[in-house]
Amino acid sequence: MELRFKKLCKAYSKKQALIDFDITLTSGVHALLGPNGAGKSTLMNILAGLLRQSSGDILLDGKSVFTMGAAFREMLGYMPQELGFYPSFTAQQTLEYYAVLRDVSGSKKRISELLDLVNLQGDKDRKIKGYSGGMKRRLGIALALLNDPQILILDEATAGLDPKERMRFRNVISQIGFGRIVIFATHIVSDIESISDDCLMLKDGMLIDSGSSESLCAKLSGCVWDIPMTEREAEEYILSHNCANITKRDSGIFVHTVCAQKPSENAQPAAVTLEDVYMSHFGSDCDE
């Protein structure tokens, strides 16, 4: 299966929300990274059929998804950032309700499988108004998977979750990434670093870089540093450098920074993380 975004553009009056977005995706988990306003939601809303593109096309195995209509929508699963559930429904009732709306065959078995997958089997008869944020997110992924979609869209799926729930959610995404295209939009880099097959960096509506976490990190080799400083020096440094953060260790205080040249005599080379890559693209003042 191949999903091709072909010179996709979207304009709102004078604002270009998406500019010549062009890439081909195959099965796996694809992280869509970028700050708020980068165009992530615009891209996903066009793919989901909620927005009309200004120009360009999206092709699934050579066919335009805009002319496939219902045949494409049947292959699609979508989990929006804001989840809307009937609070008086249980998880079981919610999935049964949407199974009828989507005409899902063998829904009883499918619902049981999904409740197991997202670890809600023991809470399936609790009303959703009593669910935690993480439980609602897990129900959201079960709902998005109800029709066994070949293409799954997740918009800021881990927003607001505590660390334990985020880890559980990542494990679910890792499990379902085989044999389908998963597009996971986020600005929380740690959520996708270990589970994505590749990362798409979106800035001001443009695709500025893409590749696996390893290949993107390799591009920054020799450009990430740890600088030992006093607490006051560190505080002053990060005020004038967006691509830097303070780390405290037993051996003292260090500033972790992205810089093409060695920033000071006592700077030490540091291992590159995907967060460093993110900051190199989206920090406003990373040193050239």
Side-chain angles (χ1 to χ4, degrees):
M1 183 170 54
E2 183 178 276
L3 187 66
R4 167 82 190 279
F5 294 87
K6 188 176 180 181
K7 299 292 183 181
L8 200 65
C9 297
K10 178 62 180 178
Y12 298 98
S13 186
K14 296 181 180 181
K15 177 178 172 58
Q16 284 287 116
L18 211 57
I19 305 170
D20 289 336
F21 186 85
D22 197 289
I23 199 166
T24 299
L25 306 180
T26 55
S27 297
V29 179
H30 306 276
L32 187 59
L33 289 172
N36 293 330
K40 303 188 300 296
S41 292
T42 296
L43 177 66
M44 290 182 295
N45 284 333
I46 292 173
L47 178 60
L50 302 176
L51 279 177
R52 180 175 294 180
Q53 82 279 24
S54 300
S55 62
D57 206 349
I58 303 175
L59 306 176
L60 180 63
D61 293 334
K63 297 179 181 179
S64 173
V65 303
F66 303 123
T67 59
M68 290 175 67
F72 176 69
R73 290 192 293 273
E74 289 174 1
M75 303 175 67
L76 196 66
Y78 182 33
M79 180 180 171
Q81 183 175 356
E82 299 297 330
L83 297 169
F85 295 120
Y86 295 110
S88 61
F89 275 27
T90 65
Q92 181 76 33
Q93 290 170 333
T94 298
L95 292 171
E96 288 175 351
Y97 174 71
Y98 281 100
V100 172
L101 291 180
R102 304 205 67 170
D103 193 23
V104 176
S105 60
S107 60
K108 185 176 181 180
K109 179 182 178 183
R110 180 65 179 160
I111 288 170
S112 181
E113 291 172 345
L114 290 172
L115 287 170
D116 284 335
L117 175 67
V118 299
N119 196 27
L120 285 177
Q121 191 70 253
D123 297 288
K124 66 179 182 179
D125 295 320
R126 285 180 57 187
K127 290 185 177 181
I128 294 173
K129 64 183 178 183
Y131 274 20
S132 67
M135 294 170 74
K136 290 177 182 177
R137 289 284 172 188
R138 283 184 275 141
L139 179 56
I141 191 65
L143 188 56
L145 289 168
L146 190 58
N147 62 325
D148 195 20
Q150 294 303 296
I151 300 170
L152 181 63
I153 306 169
L154 305 171
D155 189 359
E156 299 288 356
T158 56
L161 299 188
D162 63 37
K164 183 178 179 180
E165 285 287 3
R166 284 166 59 190
M167 181 179 68
R168 181 177 288 162
F169 198 93
R170 288 197 300 268
N171 289 338
V172 171
I173 301 307
S174 185
Q175 284 178 265
I176 65 177
F178 300 102
R180 74 180 89 228
I181 295 173
V182 179
I183 301 174
F184 189 166
T186 185
H187 60 273
I188 305 174
V189 178
S190 60
D191 283 342
I192 49 79
E193 188 165 16
S194 61
I195 64 169
S196 63
D197 293 286
D198 64 1
C199 302
L200 316 178
M201 300 284 185
L202 195 61
K203 182 178 184 179
D204 297 328
M206 293 182 287
L207 182 67
I208 59 171
D209 206 353
S210 65
S212 67
S213 297
E214 292 81 3
S215 65
L216 291 173
C217 288
K219 293 179 182 180
L220 270 189
S221 179
C223 298
V224 180
W225 310 88
D226 284 340
I227 312 171
M229 293 186 179
T230 66
E231 185 171 352
R232 183 170 181 176
E233 288 172 337
E235 289 173 351
E236 291 176 352
Y237 190 92
I238 63 171
L239 286 176
S240 57
H241 296 78
N242 285 341
C243 293
N245 61 81
I246 297 173
T247 60
K248 295 183 178 180
R249 308 171 193 164
D250 290 342
S251 55
I253 295 173
F254 293 80
V255 166
H256 185 83
T257 187
V258 179
C259 186
Q261 305 296 325
K262 189 174 182 179
S264 66
E265 196 63 37
N266 62 343
Q268 307 163 6
V272 184
T273 67
L274 192 58
E275 189 172 69
D276 295 321
V277 176
Y278 185 95
M279 290 307 300
S280 74
H281 283 303
F282 304 119
S284 62
D285 67 347
C286 287
D287 296 329
E288 299 295 333

